[in-house]
Amino acid sequence: MAILEILEFPDSRLRTVAKPVKTVDDRIRNLIDDMFETMYDAPGIGLAASQVNVHEQIVVIDVSEDHSEPLVFINPEITVIDSETFEYDEGCLSVPGFYETVTRPQHVKVKALDRNGTAFEMEPKGLLAVCIQHEKDHLLGKLFVDYISPLKRNRIRGKMEKLHKQKSS
């Protein structure tokens, strides 16, 4: 297993729309293992393949405190079950150190394939529902900063660009 590099905002590669996975094979399973290792190391609760510059529809999530509930979503499709929304302070491994309130549906239905290519459905609520929607956005080339005001987004962009310049100096 390996820890992968996480792309950071405003990297344009984060805007690439991911393609569906055609075959779940050892290459995909190895990528999933690397994504979990990367996510846990970061540390985070969700990671989309797009964030590690692999533009395929793969998401890994574990919202447990002790890393005991790893979930894999390949080619996830989300349907809103209850239009009641929920405000949550979201952060992102691609926008480290920043948190903003985002409003999302709190109850969704997800259809996806697991790490073995087996189809499944679930109806998460709360944090897991938010996390799945956040990661699915990555697969569509969208970031949580797209939900906030242009002023806040530009301020975060400026701070991130400044950090990147300091790191490369």
Side-chain angles (χ1 to χ4, degrees):
M1 292 200 306
I3 293 178
L4 307 170
E5 179 188 357
I6 298 172
L7 301 177
E8 292 185 356
F9 178 72
D11 192 312
S12 62
R13 293 173 291 180
L14 288 167
R15 300 303 185 174
T16 305
V17 175
K19 297 191 180 337
V21 172
K22 289 185 169 60
T23 306
V24 179
D25 54 17
D26 286 343
R27 179 186 70 83
I28 295 295
R29 283 185 283 277
N30 287 334
L31 173 61
I32 288 166
D33 292 340
D34 290 347
M35 287 173 63
F36 272 116
E37 185 173 358
T38 302
M39 179 187 76
Y40 291 140
D41 181 69
I45 60 171
L47 186 69
S50 300
Q51 291 176 271
V52 293
N53 203 29
V54 177
H55 302 286
E56 295 181 82
Q57 293 184 18
I58 305 167
V59 167
V60 298
I61 292 175
D62 189 341
V63 296
S64 70
E65 293 285 326
D66 61 355
H67 303 164
S68 63
E69 299 173 25
L71 298 169
V72 174
F73 300 87
I74 298 171
N75 302 335
E77 297 174 21
I78 298 174
T79 308
V80 175
I81 290 180
D82 184 347
S83 59
E84 186 176 341
T85 58
F86 174 71
E87 285 189 347
Y88 193 80
D89 282 343
E90 292 188 25
C92 181
L93 296 176
S94 292
V95 193
F98 293 93
Y99 298 86
E100 293 292 337
T101 302
V102 177
T103 303
R104 296 187 188 270
Q106 66 177 348
H107 188 192
V108 296
K109 179 178 184 176
V110 183
K111 291 182 182 180
L113 303 176
D114 67 13
R115 69 177 290 121
N116 297 312
T118 304
F120 72 96
E121 290 183 18
M122 66 186 316
E123 293 187 13
K125 294 180 181 176
L127 178 59
L128 181 55
V130 167
C131 192
I132 291 169
Q133 292 172 79
H134 175 109
E135 300 307 332
K136 172 69 176 184
D137 278 352
H138 278 297
L139 301 179
L140 300 172
K142 192 170 186 177
L143 301 172
F144 87 98
V145 294
D146 297 337
Y147 291 94
I148 62 177
S149 74
L151 180 67
K152 283 184 178 179
R153 184 171 44 256
N154 288 334
R155 189 177 312 132
I156 291 171
R157 175 190 305 273
K159 288 179 180 178
M160 291 296 296
E161 287 172 342
K162 186 176 178 181
L163 273 172
H164 294 146
K165 282 181 188 165
Q166 289 172 346
K167 283 182 187 176
S168 63
S169 297

